[in-house]
Amino acid sequence: MSYPPPSGPGWGEQPHKGDQPHWGEQLPYTPPPGYGQYGPPPPSSGNTNVMAILSLVFAFVFSPVGIVLGHMARKQIRQTHEQGEQLALWGLILSYVFTGLYLLFCCGWLGLVVWAGTNSGTTT
């Protein structure tokens, strides 16, 4: 099987003087296309959203209010580009956890009361 000869100067042959660029000459080069960058982030006002702070505070005080405030704060932060996204997120997480623990405690307490009430009527 025979292969076609390589194009250009062969092995051991010196390229012609006109084929090489001069030392100071730039080769034609086009920059690669962009990678779909979206530009700089929107400017933040530098203020922290008050509802995000209140959401975190009410997570410990009265967690259902912390849930409502956390959702409202995240919506406001998306619209106004204020700071405090992490505060609102942690306020939501802690509010949901404390609400769940409170409901679990109430159900356990109610079950204990019902169980104690059914046993009090039996005498030996």
Side-chain angles (χ1 to χ4, degrees):
M1 172 175 250
S2 67
Y3 294 101
S7 62
W11 296 99
E13 290 181 28
Q14 293 293 327
H16 298 288
K17 193 81 163 157
D19 293 344
Q20 292 181 341
H22 297 288
W23 282 105
E25 183 181 356
Q26 289 277 333
L27 293 175
Y29 174 76
T30 58
Y35 294 104
Q37 297 166 344
Y38 294 98
S44 68
S45 63
N47 297 333
T48 303
N49 190 297
V50 175
M51 276 200 247
I53 297 170
L54 289 176
S55 169
L56 190 59
V57 170
F58 274 97
F60 297 99
V61 177
F62 188 63
S63 55
V65 174
I67 293 171
V68 173
L69 288 174
H71 284 291
M72 290 172 57
R74 291 190 74 192
K75 182 179 179 184
Q76 269 188 358
I77 290 169
R78 278 192 300 266
Q79 292 172 349
T80 63
H81 303 291
E82 289 178 309
Q83 295 177 356
E85 177 70 26
Q86 292 293 319
L87 289 173
L89 182 64
W90 277 106
L92 276 172
I93 291 170
L94 290 174
S95 294
Y96 276 118
V97 167
F98 289 146
T99 301
L101 289 174
Y102 178 73
L103 289 174
L104 187 65
F105 174 76
C106 287
C107 289
W109 183 256
L110 186 62
L112 185 64
V113 168
V114 168
W115 177 73
T118 59
N119 287 341
S120 65
T122 59
T123 59
T124 44

